[in-house]
Amino acid sequence: MDSTTQLTIHRTGTTTPARTSGSPAPPGSHEITHSGAYVYDPDRPAGSLHLRAARVLEGNWTGTSTVPSHGLYPHQWSWDSAFIAIGLRHLSPLRAQTELETLLGAQWGDGRIPHIVFNPSVPLDAYFPSPDFWRSSTAGRAAGAPRTVQTSGIVQPPVHALAAWLVHQADPGLSRSRSFLSRMYPRLAAWHRYLLHRRDLGGGGLASVVHPWEQGMDNSPCWDAPLSRVTPAAPRSFRRADLDHGSAEDRPTDLDYGRYVRLATDYRDGGYADGAGEFAVEDPAFNALLIASEHALAAIAQELGAAGTARHARAERLTAALVERLWDPAEGMFFCRDVYGGDGRGGEAYGGDARDEGESGALGSERRSPESGALASEQRSSESGAHGSEQGSRSGALAPEQHSAESGAHASEQRSRQSGAHASEQRSRQSGAHASEQRSRAGALIPERSVAGLLPLILPALPRDIAATLVRTAGGPHFGLGGVARLAPSYDLTGHAFDPHRYWRGPAWFNTNWLLERGLRLHGEHGRAEELRAALLETADTSGFAEYVDPYTGEACGALGFSWTAALTLDLLHEPARADQADRPDRADRADQSTHVVSHPGHRAFDKAQGTPPHTSHASHTPHTPHSSFETGAKGGDRG
């Protein structure tokens, strides 16, 4: 949708039927016209939460992707775009597909999806680190960085396969007519292959992040101890553009920022090879999203005619590894593991810190050997398919236009081990991904309670007792969900570093709470999920779609008109608690009585301005057994 067909809202709250070339509008569509083109505008009050969220996304649209916010974040961010696509699918499945296609078009040859895709029309001094800092096309040449677009060299959480599957479900007919999934699948498979091989720096089967920015929760206290080993860059060697748009009291300190810059500089100067840096952390949220996306990739494979069973099995093994490596039963939640920290025996490297549980707590004394944490060779055996049988060669992943709907997933699933997992492992060793074998693989759990430690609730194979414990922890004194906190904070309310306004050190974020809402519903906590959904919608409304908020009061912090806040608001509005409604048909949607699910004619009218050809949605669909809350009616999204 170009600038001549942007959403228009009458001040009076009335709408006029849209027309193109004298054609009447579809009956009951309640759309408005602007420059003679169809424009999406369902039958809602002009000031409704739904339309205001849609206007945020329209205002942040660049023509090929959506910026998080024009001032503070003027480029395309990786996990932002995944969440944005999840919301956009309710307005325009075509635009949601384009969002993901633009991002994956910047994928590197080794499979990584960079955390920023830079807009060349934005001045270099508008954001730091800028393209001339990352030097992706030169410093990343050995890793296959694209030559025609500038990107960063680090990554962000892998929400992308999950987003692609939900976008497909919003309009399967359009998706199939555009071969959306058959083009996306090889790229997403390469992305997961990169994380499962090049980033298994701890040897336990989980992916490690090599920079705090990769995990997404940039300034979390979880990074303080691992970052303390990093010598910061000189303050005068960089200029912080973020302080032009936000209060210094709410942003990372200069010392922290200097360490971020040092890590990124060293990674760049090493040719973006993995395993040689000073920072490697296994994060529960990052790996939980990888597992959820692995389930989604299995569903995509099934849609394309392949079995998908190996991917589901891999996701379940990764869930077991997550529990094995990061779960602390005494503390009742998951913790980050500093792969290079400690002396191999656990949390004592970080001091006592009220760890009186003795051997009953993972933070007090590690109970796992590197061998048991690695789950032996099961996760790497070619017979079990843990890391390769479904995945194609790197050349296949980066030439998706050569794959048909029939061959995209099925042929990828049948490719030889040599071109898939084993070749990837050899490349990993050559690039230094297993340099960590010289260090302590056991590492140490980091004794900081972050919302990341609750997010494995999104996993369907999570043991029932662990899920129940996480629910109790979320509602307990450390996170206060459903009690003292309006939304779950990013960090422990009782923690030594808690600050309700400082970036990721206490404020509540919409994407993490959206994930928690899904996780609660998945594990049968429908009442708590509905309460959180209502709180999210109310807070988005009153905060002006803020980037993040004070967890107690809902006071807006950071940028306003933030894209993923608006997008996930739309998702919550469009996908009311279907499971609750099925179980309790007398329950009304308490969050927004004026909200209804948008019909296909609504979003197709939005798409028509973009020149989308007519399509149908009755193509055959390969049935499968849902393995995730994101695939079931409880989570919505399948309206085709």
Side-chain angles (χ1 to χ4, degrees):
M1 188 174 185
D2 59 30
S3 60
T4 65
T5 56
Q6 292 179 352
L7 286 172
T8 305
I9 300 177
H10 293 292
R11 293 181 182 274
T12 62
T14 60
T15 57
T16 304
R19 299 188 301 276
T20 57
S21 303
S23 301
S29 63
H30 290 89
E31 294 159 336
I32 55 178
T33 184
H34 186 82
S35 301
Y38 277 105
V39 178
Y40 175 73
D41 185 11
D43 189 9
R44 314 253 171 125
S48 72
L49 180 61
H50 182 283
L51 282 179
R52 285 186 286 119
R55 292 189 72 179
V56 169
L57 295 180
E58 183 64 25
N60 289 340
W61 175 250
T62 68
T64 56
S65 64
T66 309
V67 299
S69 72
H70 279 291
L72 188 55
Y73 307 106
H75 302 285
Q76 183 179 24
W77 261 257
S78 174
W79 76 327
D80 289 74
S81 277
F83 288 120
I84 289 164
I86 289 170
L88 272 177
R89 68 191 169 114
H90 301 295
L91 298 179
S92 168
L94 175 60
R95 183 177 289 189
Q97 291 177 27
T98 302
E99 184 82 35
L100 295 174
E101 289 164 351
T102 300
L103 178 67
L104 268 68
Q107 186 175 27
W108 289 29
D110 63 3
R112 82 182 74 193
I113 297 175
H115 98 295
I116 302 175
V117 180
F118 289 106
N119 183 343
S121 66
V122 173
L124 288 178
D125 62 358
Y127 182 81
F128 179 86
S130 53
D132 57 343
F133 172 87
W134 295 105
R135 305 172 198 166
S136 60
S137 59
T138 54
R141 185 176 302 156
R147 296 178 179 272
T148 58
V149 62
Q150 293 297 312
T151 75
S152 64
I154 60 176
V155 303
Q156 274 191 324
V159 200
H160 312 90
L162 174 59
W165 178 240
L166 292 178
V167 167
H168 163 79
Q169 288 183 301
D171 196 333
L174 174 66
S175 175
R176 291 165 187 150
S177 72
R178 300 185 69 246
S179 300
F180 172 67
L181 290 182
S182 62
R183 290 183 290 110
M184 292 294 100
Y185 181 89
R187 292 180 176 269
L188 293 168
W191 168 222
H192 286 207
R193 186 165 59 247
Y194 167 80
L195 293 173
L196 291 168
H197 293 286
R198 308 292 276 268
R199 289 302 189 87
D200 183 10
L201 303 180
L206 300 181
S208 292
V209 296
V210 299
H211 194 290
W213 291 340
E214 292 197 315
Q215 193 266 359
M217 304 179 193
D218 306 3
N219 194 37
S220 170
C222 294
W223 318 135
D224 292 353
L227 279 175
S228 67
R229 298 191 296 266
V230 178
T231 302
R236 295 184 179 180
S237 64
F238 58 92
R239 190 190 78 84
R240 296 182 57 180
D242 64 316
L243 297 182
D244 295 339
H245 304 279
S247 169
E249 289 76 19
D250 294 346
R251 302 292 296 174
T253 66
D254 286 342
L255 178 62
D256 286 333
Y257 221 89
R259 287 174 168 142
Y260 301 155
V261 171
R262 172 66 66 189
L263 276 177
T265 301
D266 291 348
Y267 194 39
R268 176 199 67 198
D269 293 347
Y272 296 109
D274 295 310
E278 297 179 79
F279 185 99
V281 174
E282 295 172 354
D283 174 76
F286 190 100
N287 281 280
L289 289 168
L290 174 59
I291 296 166
S293 283
E294 192 67 17
H295 280 301
L297 264 188
I300 293 172
Q302 289 178 281
E303 164 68 22
L304 297 175
T309 53
R311 288 199 177 278
H312 280 311
R314 179 185 302 118
E316 291 176 1
R317 280 191 293 273
L318 288 169
T319 301
L322 186 73
V323 173
E324 178 74 16
R325 302 261 311 163
L326 306 184
W327 174 248
D328 183 352
E331 297 294 331
M333 65 182 299
F334 291 86
F335 288 85
C336 295
R337 179 177 292 275
D338 182 359
V339 173
Y340 301 154
D343 58 3
R345 295 195 300 274
E348 62 192 63
Y350 291 104
D353 191 38
R355 302 295 176 231
D356 297 324
E357 300 82 13
E359 293 189 357
S360 65
L363 295 182
S365 176
E366 287 294 328
R367 306 175 308 285
R368 308 171 184 109
S369 68
E371 290 76 19
S372 65
L375 294 181
S377 61
E378 180 186 11
Q379 296 192 18
R380 290 184 173 77
S381 68
S382 56
E383 289 77 14
S384 67
H387 290 301
S389 62
E390 280 191 292
Q391 302 172 12
S393 66
R394 184 172 68 184
S395 61
L398 298 184
E401 63 277 359
Q402 298 178 10
H403 294 262
S404 66
E406 290 75 24
S407 65
H410 185 70
S412 179
E413 196 167 18
Q414 300 298 324
R415 286 195 171 89
S416 67
R417 296 192 296 269
Q418 289 75 20
S419 66
H422 289 188
S424 179
E425 283 193 282
Q426 290 182 7
R427 288 195 300 270
S428 297
R429 293 189 184 99
Q430 292 168 359
S431 68
H434 293 288
S436 62
E437 290 177 3
Q438 310 262 332
R439 312 188 191 197
S440 167
R441 285 192 164 196
L445 293 184
I446 300 171
E448 299 288 358
R449 297 178 183 88
S450 161
V451 70
L454 304 178
L455 295 187
L457 266 178
I458 66 174
L459 301 179
L462 196 67
R464 183 174 300 179
D465 60 328
I466 290 180
T469 301
L470 284 176
V471 172
R472 289 194 297 271
T473 301
H478 298 295
F479 295 94
L481 189 62
V484 297
R486 178 177 296 194
L487 299 177
S490 51
Y491 176 68
D492 182 0
L493 295 171
T494 69
H496 66 97
F498 174 77
D499 184 329
H501 292 170
R502 190 177 285 277
Y503 205 63
W504 290 111
R505 299 179 84 85
W509 293 71
F510 287 84
N511 63 332
T512 55
N513 278 270
W514 178 86
L515 289 166
L516 278 176
E517 191 270 350
R518 264 50 188 170
L520 288 168
R521 204 176 299 282
L522 169 63
H523 291 284
E525 297 288 340
H526 301 302
R528 287 185 173 90
E530 184 61 19
E531 290 177 2
L532 180 53
R533 175 178 177 268
L536 278 164
L537 292 175
E538 180 185 2
T539 305
D541 189 5
T542 58
S543 71
F545 305 102
E547 181 181 1
Y548 52 97
V549 298
D550 183 307
Y552 291 118
T553 66
E555 176 190 347
C557 302
L560 300 182
F562 201 70
S563 288
W564 79 25
T565 303
L568 297 178
T569 296
L570 284 171
D571 190 65
L572 291 169
L573 289 172
H574 280 260
E575 305 297 339
R578 290 189 180 182
D580 288 3
Q581 293 171 348
D583 296 338
R584 300 175 59 182
D586 59 329
R587 166 169 274 175
D589 180 7
R590 298 175 300 178
D592 187 346
Q593 295 288 349
S594 66
T595 300
H596 307 285
V597 175
V598 172
S599 64
H600 276 291
H603 68 59
R604 286 180 187 169
F606 186 93
D607 287 340
K608 187 170 287 188
Q610 303 189 47
T612 309
H615 61 276
T616 61
S617 298
H618 59 269
S620 62
H621 179 73
T622 304
H624 69 283
T625 301
H627 285 255
S628 166
S629 63
F630 297 96
E631 298 177 52
T632 64
K635 305 321 299 170
D638 190 357
R639 298 185 299 153

